[in-house]
Amino acid sequence: MEKEVLYNSNMHFEHVQWKGELAFWEDELKFFNNRLSELVTRWTDKDVLKQLEHYQNEFILHGGVIDDLQESIEEHEERIAGQSITGEDAIDVPLAKGHVEFRNRMETQREIYANLKKEFFRFLEKYM
């Protein structure tokens, strides 16, 4: 079985990509919340307002997940920086293992967010 070697520079590069993706999601959530605000002024139907509230809650939850992911990346970056400062060449197994687990979290969240966007766009098509 072949094992993946994770170098600090590669983990850092992946962190930079993830941070950019998370920032993009934050911007999208602002846009989506603006759409919700527009729809609240257009609709009085209780079923539509209930769906608007559902999406508002989903966006709030996703915003919290984004914050948690950003915080985890920063903590991981601090560990990498600490290793670089001390000049350690040894592979930090827990750090690498944590990175792979975080990568899996990002992949899962990416899928959850993509599904939420699809649902929301269908909703917008119907009520915008």
Side-chain angles (χ1 to χ4, degrees), residues 19-33 62-63 66-67 70 113:
K19 285 163 67 171
E21 187 173 7
L22 294 171
F24 181 76
W25 290 353
E26 281 183 317
D27 286 344
E28 280 188 320
L29 288 178
K30 290 174 191 170
F31 171 79
F32 296 155
N33 280 307
H62 194 72
I66 290 170
D67 291 342
Q70 289 170 327
Y113 185 60

Side-chain angles (χ1 to χ4, degrees), residues 43-54 123 127:
W43 291 91
T44 57
D45 181 87
K46 289 187 190 307
D47 290 332
V48 174
L49 294 175
K50 191 175 183 181
Q51 289 178 347
L52 289 172
E53 183 178 6
H54 163 75
F123 175 77
Y127 294 107

Side-chain angles (χ1 to χ4, degrees), residues 55 115-127:
Y55 285 111
N115 289 333
L116 174 61
K117 283 172 46 173
K118 284 179 202 174
E119 288 176 28
F120 186 61
F121 287 139
R122 288 186 191 117
F123 175 77
L124 289 178
E125 286 174 3
K126 191 172 181 180
Y127 294 107

Side-chain angles (χ1 to χ4, degrees), residues 27-43:
D27 286 344
E28 280 188 320
L29 288 178
K30 290 174 191 170
F31 171 79
F32 296 155
N33 280 307
N34 287 339
R35 292 297 145 263
L36 289 177
S37 295
E38 288 176 31
L39 288 169
V40 164
T41 62
R42 291 184 191 183
W43 291 91

Side-chain angles (χ1 to χ4, degrees), residues 74-116:
E74 289 306 316
E75 290 170 2
H76 205 212
E77 279 292 306
E78 287 176 17
R79 285 191 63 192
I80 290 172
Q83 266 191 330
S84 297
I85 289 170
T86 60
E88 293 180 33
D89 288 333
I91 294 175
D92 184 338
V93 175
L95 180 68
K97 185 178 178 183
H99 186 82
V100 171
E101 289 169 1
F102 189 85
R103 183 186 296 149
N104 292 335
R105 281 177 60 198
M106 279 297 294
E107 289 172 2
T108 299
Q109 196 57 36
R110 197 176 285 128
E111 187 176 320
I112 290 168
Y113 185 60
N115 289 333
L116 174 61

